[in-house]
Amino acid sequence: MRKSSPVGARVAAAAADAYAELHAGFRWRVPASFNIAEACCGRWARRPGSEGHVAIAWQNEAGESGTLSYAALQRDADRLARALARLGVGRGDRVALIMPQRPETAVAHIAVYQLGAVTMPLSMLFGPEALAYRLQDSGACVAIADESAIANLRAVRGECRELHTLVAVGAALGQGDADWPALLAREAAASAPEARLRTGADDPAVLIYTSGTTGPPKGALVPHRALIGNLSGFVCSQNWFGLGDPAQAGGSDEVFWSPADWAWTGGLMDALLPTLFFGRRIVAWQGRFSPERAFELLERHRVTHSFVFPTALKAMMKALPEPRRRHRIGLRAIMSAGEAVGDAVFEWCREALGVTVNEMFGQTEINYIVGNCGSYVGADGRRHAAWPARAGSMGRGYPGHRVAVIDDEGRECAPGTPGDVAVHRLDRHGDPDPVFFLGYWRNEAATRLKYTGDAASPATAGWCRTGDTAVMDERGYLWYQGRSDDMFKSAGYRIGPSEIENCLVKHPAVANAAVVPKPDAERGALVKAYVVLAPGRHGEPALIDELQQHVRARLAPYEYPKEIEFIESLPMTTTGKVQRRVLRLQEEARARAAAGGK
């Protein structure tokens, strides 16, 4: 990490314990004023040669492709920022962005940040109900969408009283209140000053909704400084990404690509923004993921660093066991997260791709906190081994983060004892850790529950719980045990049962429902629903299909239950709460029995 960065690490020469040395030498440097747009674009756009300094290389399924320089990214962001300001967007206002990986998505993020407003990235896979809830709860005033989401957005805009403007992009032109090209064209000739506001490091920047477990989805409000908090993990997991000055002649040849949707924390904070922060090139693929396409993108764009979900890596492994016989692949690092990579994929990455995959763990509220690092560059300028990745392990806490496994009272567990993975508000030096979110949007009660102690006092609150259970060994490696609540992951997507259950209950045939994970070798888990039918209804196969389509049409495709089992009644507590744990354990027992008790 360069001294010009607001993130600082004084790394001593290689020692016998590189992990301890890296932690001991690391100190956060968080300026009082910090803005993601300036850090990720403005400073690069002012540099000589910025017209030829590529920020984004884009490509779509229609065969179109091109590049966007840092200078062009900033010009378009300035124009959009002025246009949004004319529409009434100001400091703290929420702007919904519903687009895939495309240049306009990056432009919109930069424009909104420099206005001091808040981006609310939403998945293009969301159905009408999922969109309506988030738009209503956030009070978003403007939404920017392309053809992937405009129809669903138009269908619910009447329910969103504060949403006054839809901006149409791409093939959606003419279907909104304003068209992207027209807005930017008008501002190109405008004499209005640049819309770039100073923001504090603690000012809000992003609002991302997490899937609800005991209620509706919660909006995690993320400040500008959280990007800084992500960087130590990003650099380490990418084997010291960001060395050298990319704006100088003969600068870095590092190129990043990830199939992760930029609407999620993984795509935004683990790929797009940190790549731009370091002035590197990121590949934007606007299209469906396929293993064949992934290998083509790696070769065509000479990708050196990547973040790929375990599910995608499994698909790539099965599609092409020996990819380097057909493709020139120059990967130097791969980070993977979302679920366990597993021994088979771990070994395939090392042998077939030539890199050891670095697993990572984090969440929207406190991201990029645990993982592995294959190598680092010491004070002598040479590359050294960092700490070895261990297949099946979540890794160790990244520099700058004080990570522990704690019990119900907030005490650190002894090695080998299961507990809740937590991160302390203060790092090992007693300085505030910048990675923390500000809180849940309009939900102080949920924010308080996230912490041990008084959430208003960093000195006493201490630990922020992730909700994931793990065991820490003697060397500080974490070994995942499961969720401490009802959240689960399927094919890399975080699934919250409450939203799916609520959707199912809206169907006239459903009296009650509970959603749990069903173990699956390929996806980690499948979404399974236990359904209690309304009086007079019967569980025919046709009804299963009808219920699946009911959910799929209203939520995201990955949320619909792949399996539905009709049941007379759900297990309940004495206070009337569904005991999902009973059903989850039942599914796990069935899976063991099907595997012969192994």
Side-chain angles (χ1 to χ4, degrees):
M1 290 172 242
R2 302 187 306 280
K3 292 183 178 180
S4 61
S5 164
V7 177
R10 180 180 55 81
V11 182
D17 188 342
Y19 180 79
E21 189 72 19
L22 289 170
H23 267 278
F26 186 93
R27 299 298 294 265
W28 292 112
R29 289 204 300 266
V30 183
S33 295
F34 181 75
N35 185 279
I36 292 175
E38 167 62 18
C40 293
C41 186
R43 63 184 177 130
W44 299 116
R46 290 193 299 274
R47 299 282 290 270
S50 63
E51 293 290 353
H53 181 184
V54 175
I56 300 171
W58 59 271
Q59 186 178 340
N60 61 30
E61 288 183 320
E64 301 169 318
S65 63
T67 60
L68 188 72
S69 69
Y70 278 91
L73 175 58
Q74 186 62 63
R75 277 196 300 273
D76 284 352
D78 284 337
R79 291 166 182 165
L80 180 61
R82 289 197 297 265
L84 291 174
R86 292 183 192 275
L87 293 172
V89 177
R91 190 182 292 271
D93 289 335
R94 279 75 61 206
V95 177
L97 308 180
I98 320 169
M99 296 179 285
Q101 293 184 5
R102 57 185 303 158
E104 293 91 341
T105 309
V107 169
H109 273 284
I110 300 300
V112 174
Y113 298 143
Q114 67 186 37
L115 272 177
V118 177
T119 65
M120 185 175 68
L122 297 173
S123 173
M124 59 183 177
L125 297 177
F126 281 148
E129 287 191 14
L131 285 176
Y133 174 81
R134 290 157 177 82
L135 291 168
Q136 292 166 350
D137 187 67
S138 66
C141 59
V142 173
I144 305 175
D146 71 356
E147 62 276 11
S148 64
I150 195 71
N152 286 335
L153 192 56
R154 284 165 57 92
V156 302
R157 73 165 305 177
E159 305 172 33
C160 308
R161 292 180 296 176
E162 297 180 65
L163 182 63
H164 58 70
T165 306
L166 304 185
V167 178
V169 177
L173 297 184
Q175 300 179 54
D177 303 305
D179 286 340
W180 177 286
L183 285 179
L184 268 61
R186 186 175 78 165
E187 298 302 332
S191 59
E194 303 294 346
R196 300 184 193 175
L197 302 181
R198 287 175 61 87
T199 58
D202 284 321
D203 286 350
V206 187
L207 180 63
I208 298 184
Y209 278 78
T210 64
S211 297
T213 55
T214 58
K218 299 185 292 290
L221 191 59
V222 179
H224 287 269
R225 61 166 161 75
L227 175 60
I228 296 175
N230 275 252
L231 292 178
S232 66
F234 176 79
V235 170
C236 287
S237 72
Q238 295 296 337
N239 294 342
W240 236 243
F241 183 97
L243 294 178
D245 189 340
Q248 298 297 321
S252 174
D253 62 347
E254 292 169 324
V255 178
F256 199 96
W257 170 72
S258 173
D261 188 344
W262 293 351
W264 300 107
T265 300
L268 183 65
M269 302 298 283
D270 303 352
L272 176 63
L273 294 181
T275 301
L276 296 180
F277 176 88
F278 286 109
R280 300 309 197 259
R281 177 184 305 205
I282 188 166
V283 177
W285 165 244
Q286 185 183 343
R288 292 177 177 271
F289 171 84
S290 73
E292 297 76 15
R293 179 67 69 179
F295 289 121
E296 291 172 7
L297 291 170
L298 291 174
E299 180 175 18
R300 174 175 178 174
H301 295 279
R302 299 180 180 179
V303 174
T304 58
H305 296 76
S306 187
F307 160 34
V308 186
F309 291 115
T311 303
L313 286 174
K314 290 176 186 175
M316 293 169 68
M317 176 180 69
K318 291 184 177 181
L320 200 57
E322 298 180 342
R324 286 191 287 182
R325 287 191 173 186
R326 291 175 50 183
H327 298 279
R328 293 184 178 181
I329 296 175
L331 284 169
R332 300 169 194 168
I334 290 181
M335 182 273 282
S336 192
E339 60 188 79
V341 168
D343 293 345
V345 174
F346 187 87
E347 290 301 323
W348 177 77
C349 287
R350 184 156 53 190
E351 296 176 5
L353 299 181
V355 292
T356 298
V357 61
N358 289 322
E359 295 194 55
M360 186 276 286
F361 168 79
Q363 55 184 200
T364 302
E365 298 90 335
I366 38 175
N367 189 44
Y368 240 129
I369 52 175
V370 170
N372 288 301
C373 178
S375 64
Y376 76 99
V377 176
D380 57 2
R382 299 174 61 187
R383 189 172 291 275
H384 305 274
W387 62 91
R390 301 177 69 183
S393 168
M394 298 162 64
R396 304 159 95 178
Y398 281 124
H401 306 305
R402 182 181 166 193
V403 179
V405 172
I406 63 175
D407 62 18
D408 292 342
E409 284 72 43
R411 298 171 300 204
E412 294 190 45
C413 298
T417 304
D420 206 356
V421 179
V423 186
H424 205 280
R425 282 176 171 260
L426 304 179
D427 68 11
R428 295 168 185 264
H429 301 284
D431 297 324
D433 187 337
V435 81
F436 284 84
F437 76 136
L438 295 171
Y440 292 115
W441 180 254
R442 296 174 178 170
N443 196 337
E444 293 183 6
T447 302
R448 287 194 298 270
L449 289 173
K450 189 73 173 169
Y451 293 89
T452 293
D454 181 5
S457 173
T460 60
W463 299 108
C464 181
R465 297 176 181 271
T466 65
D468 288 273
T469 301
V471 169
M472 182 179 286
D473 65 21
E474 295 285 353
R475 298 185 60 194
Y477 284 90
L478 290 166
W479 301 86
Y480 186 74
Q481 302 291 298
R483 288 291 298 175
S484 55
D485 55 24
D486 293 316
M487 180 89 66
F488 61 96
K489 291 182 179 178
S490 176
Y493 290 105
R494 292 172 68 86
I495 305 294
S498 179
E499 191 173 34
I500 305 172
E501 291 163 358
N502 289 339
C503 187
L504 281 167
V505 170
K506 291 177 180 178
H507 192 282
V510 178
N512 205 349
V515 170
V516 297
K518 176 180 180 178
D520 179 79
E522 293 298 324
R523 298 177 178 87
L526 295 177
V527 179
K528 176 167 182 177
Y530 282 87
V531 170
V532 178
L533 291 173
R537 302 303 294 258
H538 304 282
E540 301 96 349
L543 180 58
I544 293 177
D545 181 69
E546 184 178 333
L547 293 176
Q548 290 175 326
Q549 295 307 315
H550 172 79
V551 175
R552 191 166 192 169
R554 288 162 177 79
L555 303 179
Y558 56 80
E559 290 183 287
Y560 87 91
K562 306 299 187 297
E563 183 173 320
I564 294 176
E565 182 173 337
F566 298 112
I567 189 171
E568 289 294 324
S569 62
L570 297 175
M572 309 285 280
T573 66
T574 55
T575 57
K577 294 181 180 179
V578 176
Q579 293 180 303
R580 297 191 190 94
R581 181 173 179 273
V582 173
L583 300 175
R584 186 174 67 247
L585 292 175
Q586 177 176 290
E587 288 301 321
E588 292 172 358
R590 289 176 175 177
R592 287 194 298 272
K598 295 180 180 179

